[in-house]
DNA sequence: GTTAAGATCTGCT
DNA sequence: GCAGATCTTAACG
């Protein structure tokens, strides 16, 4: 696996993660998808980042080494899944907002509810975590290992078109262009 | 101990 | 298109 994009700059890693596979193994089987939408949360000059007011019990995983999972619970119902990509101790992360389903479609459909359309399976942070059965027990997990891991995509086109936009759902630092999407992909959250 | 706000989704109008 | 559900976390008294 090409880990060169990690451990340096969070924005570069957020762009670099587009097109990668996210894989999840459970007793029920394997599900996987291609990452099509990410957001960067920085430690400096970024009030929207959970780590902007220092280290707490909740965001401790954000300060871990690269390829650590940071998972938190929000709005009483949903989890959000982040990848730590900065050097240990910085407190930055990349939020995975949407994936394009690849394997284990029936399993995702079961978890998300029968009759759920393909493009509605994982097109949003909360939906993604439901489809991949991601919860707090995976907080701090090493994403190089099972049962939840990342994999680069050797078939990724070199001319992949990436667009940056303002982040979604944040009230602070609205002007920052820290959301990255694969242009024209059908499985974006919007 | 209490309170206010949040990196969302779904269902109804 | 919009408001409500629902609960964990952190800040404050």
């Amino acid at each position: 696996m090409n880990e060169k994009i990690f451990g340096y700059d969070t924005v570069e890693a957020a762009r670099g993660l587009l097109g990668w596979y996210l894989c999840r193994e459970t007793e029920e089987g394997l599900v996987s998808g291609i990452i099509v939408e990410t957001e960067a949360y920085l430690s400096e000059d970024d009030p929207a980042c959970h780590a902007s007011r220092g280290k707490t019990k909740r965001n401790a995983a954000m300060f871990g080494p690269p390829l650590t999972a940071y998972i938190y619970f929000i709005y009483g119902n949903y989890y959000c899944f982040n990848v730590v990509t900065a050097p240990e101790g910085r407190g930055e992360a990349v939020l995975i907002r949407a994936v394009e389903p690849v394997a284990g479609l029936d399993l995702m459909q079961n978890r998300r509810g029968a009759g759920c359309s393909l493009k509605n399976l994982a097109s949003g942070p909360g939906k993604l975590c439901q489809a991949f059965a991601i919860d707090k027990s995976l907080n701090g997990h090493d994403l190089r290992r099972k049962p939840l891991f990342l994999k680069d995509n050797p078939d990724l086109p070199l001319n992949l078109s990436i667009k940056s936009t303002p982040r979604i759902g944040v009230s602070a630092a609205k002007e920052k262009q820290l959301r990255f999407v694969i242009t024209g992909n059908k499985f974006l959250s919007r």
Side-chain angles (χ1 to χ4, degrees):
Chain A
M1 177 167 91
N2 176 18
E3 298 183 19
K4 287 179 188 160
I5 65 171
F6 305 113
Y8 301 97
D9 183 68
T10 299
V11 172
E12 283 306 308
R15 298 173 64 97
L17 273 170
L18 291 174
W20 280 50
Y21 287 104
L22 177 66
C23 307
R24 168 75 166 132
E25 260 185 32
T26 63
E27 292 179 355
E28 302 164 289
L30 175 75
V31 301
S32 69
I34 294 174
I35 298 170
V36 298
E37 179 174 349
T38 62
E39 279 179 10
Y41 286 85
L42 310 178
S43 61
E44 286 179 19
D45 192 32
D46 187 4
C49 180
H50 287 168
S52 65
R53 288 178 210 168
K55 193 169 177 174
T56 65
K57 194 175 174 183
R58 177 207 208 187
N59 64 27
M62 269 184 123
F63 291 83
L67 288 167
T68 300
Y70 168 48
I71 294 156
Y72 65 92
F73 199 60
I74 191 74
Y75 297 130
N77 280 330
Y78 301 101
Y79 292 100
C80 291
F81 169 61
N82 298 249
V83 180
V84 177
T85 59
E88 183 165 7
R90 285 195 63 180
E92 301 189 342
V94 175
L95 170 69
I96 308 299
R97 286 192 56 88
V99 305
E100 173 178 339
V102 174
L105 303 182
D106 50 342
L107 200 47
M108 293 193 215
Q109 223 149 30
N110 285 345
R111 289 175 181 147
R112 293 271 306 125
C116 190
S117 72
L118 191 59
K119 68 177 177 190
N120 206 17
L121 281 180
S123 55
K127 301 181 201 172
L128 184 156
C129 286
Q130 249 186 337
F132 279 68
I134 292 172
D135 64 29
K136 225 169 60 178
S137 68
L138 289 164
N139 192 28
H141 173 74
D142 179 354
L143 292 169
R144 279 168 296 218
R145 304 196 340 232
K146 296 176 181 180
L148 178 66
F149 54 99
L150 292 166
K151 199 159 80 71
D152 56 358
N153 184 349
D155 301 323
L156 201 61
L158 293 173
N159 61 350
L160 187 69
S161 174
I162 296 173
K163 188 170 67 173
S164 64
T165 79
R167 290 175 294 189
I168 292 175
V170 298
S171 54
K174 283 194 169 95
E175 77 288 354
K176 288 184 185 297
Q177 307 268 310
L178 290 175
R179 172 174 176 254
F180 303 97
V181 303
I182 295 179
T183 308
N185 188 280
K186 296 180 185 117
F187 298 91
L188 302 176
S189 65
R190 63 184 67 180

